[in-house]
Amino acid sequence: MAGAADVEIVKLQSSDGHIIAVPTDVAFLSKTVKNMVSDVGLDQLSDGIELPSISHEVLQKVVEWATHHKDDPAPAEDDENRAKRADDIDQWDADFCKVKQPMLFELILAANYLDMKGLLDLTCKTVANIIRGKNPEQIRAAFNIRNDFTPEEEEQVRKENEWCEESK
């Protein structure tokens, strides 16, 4: 029987130089990390895998999510014919995503960089749920986006996209 000492560890180094030691079963939820280890070998990465676009705070959240989901079945490949749902988030994940917007968007970027489909889907669904049912002005307010359209440009966009409003 394998003991705790037999667990292989991957060191992940954040953009600000912090190193987090992570068991391989957690780290390999990232296809990027898994491919790096597969290509080079764990022994060649003993100083850690540099993740230059991920801060320590964000990396800690990513590891928290991966630790919770390490035993989950692999996410299904996207099926273009299958409807995408944003209302199937379990309570732990919903609580995990209750972070300030900058952190949520940093998690999206990290999940994309690390090729972690489950985390990317979760964070994008969270943003979709924030947007759901809001008009453009409310979305701009929610995300602090300045409207740089002139009234004429905005009217032109509305006319070009009237078909979007027909199904409501």
Side-chain angles (χ1 to χ4, degrees):
M1 182 175 205
D6 297 332
V7 173
E8 285 191 294
I9 299 294
V10 176
K11 294 178 184 175
L12 304 176
Q13 183 176 355
S14 64
S15 62
D16 37 2
H18 291 89
I19 293 179
I20 300 177
V22 183
T24 53
D25 62 340
V26 173
F28 286 1
L29 261 63
S30 162
K31 287 184 182 176
T32 302
V33 170
K34 186 175 183 176
N35 289 340
M36 284 181 179
V37 171
S38 174
D39 291 348
V40 180
L42 198 52
D43 54 327
Q44 296 295 316
L45 299 167
S46 60
D47 291 338
I49 297 173
E50 291 183 27
L51 303 171
S53 62
I54 303 174
S55 72
H56 182 242
E57 183 182 13
V58 173
L59 185 56
Q60 286 179 308
K61 288 290 285 181
V62 169
V63 170
E64 176 187 352
W65 181 88
T67 300
H68 181 79
H69 288 282
K70 67 182 171 63
D71 296 323
D72 291 358
E77 289 299 314
D78 280 337
D79 179 358
E80 296 299 323
N81 298 321
R82 186 174 55 93
K84 304 285 192 248
R85 295 184 51 183
D87 60 349
D88 58 349
I89 298 174
D90 70 37
Q91 190 59 52
W92 189 93
D93 284 336
D95 292 340
F96 174 84
C97 286
K98 289 180 181 171
V99 294
K100 293 184 177 175
Q101 273 186 20
M103 173 60 83
L104 182 59
F105 287 109
E106 287 295 322
L107 285 169
I108 289 171
L109 294 172
N112 187 52
Y113 176 77
L114 293 169
D115 197 1
M116 298 177 77
K117 182 178 178 354
L119 180 57
L120 184 60
D121 286 350
L122 169 65
T123 50
C124 288
K125 285 178 182 183
T126 301
V127 172
N129 287 335
I130 293 169
I131 293 171
R132 176 172 283 119
K134 290 185 169 66
N135 64 39
E137 291 76 23
Q138 292 168 323
I139 294 170
R140 284 189 199 104
F143 295 106
N144 198 23
I145 300 170
R146 184 177 58 86
N147 182 1
D148 57 356
F149 284 118
T150 65
E152 294 79 22
E153 290 172 327
E154 196 165 337
E155 184 57 33
Q156 180 182 354
V157 169
R158 287 185 200 282
K159 284 183 180 177
E160 289 173 358
N161 293 290
E162 283 178 340
W163 61 272
C164 292
E165 302 296 323
E166 291 173 2
S167 64
K168 288 186 179 180

